[in-house]
Amino acid sequence: MTREKPRQGFWGLWNISFGFFGIQIGFALQNANVSRIFQSLGTSVDDLAFLWIAAPLTGLLVQPVIGHYSDRTWGRLGRRRPYFLGGAVLATIALLGMPNAPVLWVAAALLWMLDGSLNVAMEPFRAFVGDMLGSRQRTAGYAFQTGFIGAGAVIGSLAPLILTDIFHVANTAAGGGIPPSVRYGFYLGAAALFCAVLWTVLTTKEYSPDEMAAFEQDDGAVEAGPAIAAPAGSGARLAPVWIALGAIVIAAVARFGLDKPVYLLGAGLIAFGIALLVSAALVRSGRESNVLSQIVGDLASMPQTMKRLALVQFFTWSALFIMWIYTTPIVTQRAFGTTDTASAAYNDGANWVGVLFAVYNGVATVWAFVMPWLAGRIGRRNAHILGLLSGAAGFGSFLVLRDPHALIGSMVLIGIAWSSILTMPYAMLSNALPQAKLGVYMGLFNIFIVLPQLIVSSVMGQVMRTVFPGDPVWAMLIAAGVMGVAALAMLRVPRDA
């Protein structure tokens, strides 16, 4: 016998998603300040994309594995909450350490730790909403989560500016190091992250495996696959193709003198091909229950709606990652007239980037509560297309706007897109997935978020150095075009998804 999950009231929705508020403070501090930290430690703008490669690479590796294990975990804290808590502890340590990094390699290593631990904490939250809410309440649930993401990002993005303007914390450091305003912002963010995640851990109670089995029919998994992945042996046929593509990329780097980070792209393709071969060998030997084969099998058996949304995500997150990397050098150069990272003008411009990031996240918070109404009238698919087109317009406007206050309008448009990106794909996806594999599929869905970021990190430095040397604003033209392609790709997603 199946039964519907109880509807959650306001405070139930609040408790389920409040931890994401703290996680997003951590991500916002990272997004708005890591380029600033790297440049303060002596990195040139052309090398920023490579140093940012930690973020997508850790997400690519961590999220599917965490999703796989969280689907199979059950203990005193449930199945998702142990991962929230463990990730929060590690992220707190990384946030305390990063602004005190004495040299560049230490800062880069702490970025890997920070992003990996944030991914450990974040991935189960997406599945957690699906676990706790019935299919009819999921759009509201993910919108509520988006509201907390936006609010946390506003606080994280504005932290150095607030500390400078209100509490008069110094915004420059002797010798051009990391300013005190950034250091104290990271300390406050660490405390907020840990406390917010702990709130969700202590105020929620997960449904037991027996209760989840009783609820499963109500979860709307119209394209649900098998509860246990089919053996992933067929992918071995494509393994030589991936290995060959990787070898071609590596050879092209050596032959044409391309940027060295592109080697990582070739290595990643080869590694994926090898993973397919290893998985197939394990299946043939009767050991199909191993983690690698299970994840590869799940990837091969994705529901059709997930495949189409994955393509949208690929283009969407390519554009977003370009923005996160290049907004600081664009704004400081064009709106504040400097590339000197030790100057007061540069640091004022970097603080203004925090304001701009706070604007788009604040707009996302407000728009999150408009989206359920909008989706109810024009459908989730069309609502998301509207959001993506808004983002494309916002990116494109950077090419014609130089006044720092005018860029607020650009960020309003991007905020509408950001709100939709954080809500609509997950609301559509959760209704196309089997409940028993919600965690691993949410983790696999993240591949199509981090893979484009990995590619951007590998090639954008070369593109900007070769095609647009010394003028990073043209990166926003690329972002606008890629976001427009994402909107077109949404046309392939069913209207009723």
Side-chain angles (χ1 to χ4, degrees):
M1 178 179 178
T2 61
R3 56 194 176 93
E4 185 174 348
K5 291 175 183 173
R7 287 186 63 83
Q8 296 284 345
F10 175 86
W11 288 111
L13 294 172
W14 175 288
N15 293 337
I16 287 169
S17 293
F18 187 67
F20 228 126
F21 171 70
I23 292 171
Q24 194 58 38
I25 289 176
F27 270 119
L29 285 165
Q30 171 184 296
N31 291 339
N33 294 285
V34 164
S35 287
R36 179 181 186 176
I37 290 172
F38 285 158
Q39 286 188 286
S40 296
L41 292 173
T43 303
S44 73
V45 65
D46 291 330
D47 293 328
L48 287 176
F50 174 60
L51 289 170
W52 271 83
I53 207 167
L57 190 58
T58 51
L60 183 67
L61 298 174
V62 167
Q63 289 217 20
V65 174
I66 294 299
H68 173 87
Y69 281 112
S70 72
D71 282 338
R72 291 159 170 77
T73 296
W74 185 256
R76 293 179 61 185
L77 285 179
R79 62 173 178 170
R80 313 294 184 191
R81 290 180 296 165
Y83 298 94
F84 303 163
L85 189 58
V89 170
L90 293 173
T92 298
I93 294 170
L95 284 169
L96 294 173
M98 177 167 282
N100 294 299
V103 292
L104 181 61
W105 72 265
V106 174
L110 286 168
L111 176 60
W112 280 77
M113 178 178 174
L114 175 60
D115 202 86
S117 53
L118 287 172
N119 274 284
V120 170
M122 180 185 71
E123 196 284 330
F125 262 104
R126 294 296 190 189
F128 192 52
V129 172
D131 290 345
M132 302 298 291
L133 301 176
S135 59
R136 287 175 290 185
Q137 212 179 2
R138 285 179 182 164
T139 299
Y142 285 112
F144 216 96
Q145 192 174 86
T146 297
F148 274 127
I149 292 172
V154 168
I155 293 174
S157 298
L158 286 178
L161 181 65
I162 292 172
L163 289 169
T164 298
D165 289 356
I166 298 179
F167 297 98
H168 308 294
V169 176
N171 193 41
T172 57
I178 298 167
S181 60
V182 174
R183 290 205 312 272
Y184 293 138
F186 272 63
Y187 299 160
L188 293 172
L193 186 154
F194 183 77
C195 291
V197 172
L198 188 62
W199 178 283
T200 290
V201 170
L202 296 178
T203 60
T204 57
K205 181 180 182 297
E206 297 186 66
Y207 296 116
S208 70
D210 290 341
E211 289 174 310
M212 293 300 292
F215 290 141
E216 186 164 0
Q217 183 174 324
D218 174 61
D219 282 326
V222 295
E223 299 177 56
I228 301 297
S234 59
R237 292 194 299 269
L238 295 176
V241 176
W242 292 109
I243 293 172
L245 285 174
I248 290 170
V249 170
I250 290 174
V253 176
R255 173 66 177 83
F256 299 107
L258 301 180
D259 208 358
K260 295 297 187 294
V262 184
Y263 277 124
L264 294 173
L265 178 59
L269 294 172
I270 292 173
F272 181 65
I274 293 172
L276 292 176
L277 291 174
V278 172
S279 173
L282 290 170
V283 170
R284 286 195 299 271
S285 68
R287 291 180 288 172
E288 64 272 4
S289 61
N290 68 88
V291 175
L292 176 62
S293 295
Q294 288 289 316
I295 291 176
V296 170
D298 291 329
L299 183 63
S301 59
M302 289 189 300
Q304 190 66 27
T305 295
M306 182 175 173
K307 292 178 181 178
R308 294 177 178 179
L309 285 170
L311 182 64
V312 176
Q313 294 291 84
F314 179 88
F315 292 115
T316 299
W317 286 83
S318 296
L320 290 171
F321 205 58
I322 290 171
M323 177 187 72
W324 290 330
I325 293 172
Y326 290 104
T327 299
T328 295
I330 289 170
V331 172
T332 53
Q333 179 177 323
R334 286 172 60 88
F336 287 80
T338 184
T339 58
D340 179 5
T341 60
S343 68
Y346 175 89
N347 284 285
D348 288 342
N351 274 358
W352 187 252
V353 171
V355 174
L356 295 177
F357 280 23
V359 167
Y360 88 74
N361 282 291
V363 170
T365 301
V366 175
W367 195 254
F369 298 98
V370 175
M371 282 189 297
W373 172 86
L374 182 64
R377 280 153 181 79
I378 65 175
R380 292 168 175 166
R381 186 191 74 167
N382 291 338
H384 194 42
I385 290 173
L386 179 65
L388 295 173
L389 291 175
S390 175
F395 290 136
S397 67
F398 268 76
L399 276 75
V400 296
L401 298 176
R402 286 181 176 267
D403 183 271
H405 294 90
L407 291 173
I408 291 174
S410 305
M411 288 301 180
V412 169
L413 294 172
I414 292 171
I416 292 171
W418 181 232
S419 187
S420 187
I421 290 163
L422 293 174
T423 303
M424 290 304 177
Y426 297 98
M428 289 184 277
L429 179 65
S430 62
N431 287 336
L433 298 177
Q435 182 67 49
K437 301 186 76 66
L438 199 55
V440 69
Y441 272 127
M442 286 292 183
L444 289 170
F445 195 55
N446 189 63
I447 289 176
F448 304 98
I449 293 174
V450 300
L451 182 60
Q453 296 178 52
L454 183 61
I455 293 172
V456 167
S457 297
S458 299
V459 305
M460 275 301 294
Q462 179 74 37
V463 170
M464 297 306 297
R465 187 180 298 111
T466 303
V467 184
F468 308 113
D471 199 0
V473 71
W474 292 103
M476 288 299 190
L477 178 63
I478 298 173
V482 172
M483 190 70 90
V485 173
L488 289 175
M490 269 302 296
L491 294 173
R492 300 181 64 248
V493 177
R495 287 180 178 270
D496 58 351

